[in-house]
Amino acid sequence: MNYYRNDSISVDEFFQIRENSDALLEYIDGFVYMSPSPSTQHQRISNRLETKFKMFLEGKSCELFHAPYDIELKNGEIEGTKIVIPDISIICDKTGFTDARYVGVPNLIVEILSPSNQSHDVITKLNIYMNYGVKEYWIVNPMLNTITVYTLNVDKMYEQHDMKTETGEITSRLLLGFRVDLKYVFMK
């Protein structure tokens, strides 16, 4: 993940930059990060996961949103401003929707790694999502054909719920009964 700018800016300056840019930009406590454009493989994986999640969520109260859609993380306990663009967000609390973005904490977030953003998603975002209380965080690694699912435990820390490499079904603790086959997710 690359800095869009090396200096700290206000959230108002960030929104001005966003109005004049087509880049996928995230804002974390004053710093602007630029996400890479998704690869063909990234798009295929995202579409397949979205399809499975949407089918599962049909008739339920939660909604799926996919990138580019801004999530302004807010939980009342943490100061600072964090505006992220997860690959997939599942949101069950409808009170945070605005015309432009969601303000609050999604229930489930999926990030699909790219070679240039691995540490950002695996370290930075994992800790941010855990601290804000995202109940379930999926990290999809197309380079290794793995999916790792983290869920918040009673101590509000992430613990690994499930991990599969190349084959088998990955499950969700949050969405009881949801499962998806890795061969389907990673097929070329």
Side-chain angles (χ1 to χ4, degrees), residues 105-108 129 133-137 150-153 158 174:
V105 180
N107 296 74
L108 187 150
Y129 296 157
V134 175
K135 293 177 183 164
E136 193 163 289
Y137 179 39
Y150 294 95
T151 58
L152 280 181
N153 63 23
Y158 275 149
L174 179 70

Side-chain angles (χ1 to χ4, degrees), residues 158-171:
Y158 275 149
E159 60 185 33
Q160 188 175 305
H161 162 70
D162 200 357
M163 181 185 173
K164 296 287 185 297
T165 302
E166 295 187 22
T167 61
E169 289 185 323
I170 198 83
T171 63

Side-chain angles (χ1 to χ4, degrees), residues 139-153:
I139 299 175
V140 179
N141 187 331
M143 288 77 68
L144 300 174
N145 289 351
T146 63
I147 299 176
T148 306
V149 177
Y150 294 95
T151 58
L152 280 181
N153 63 23

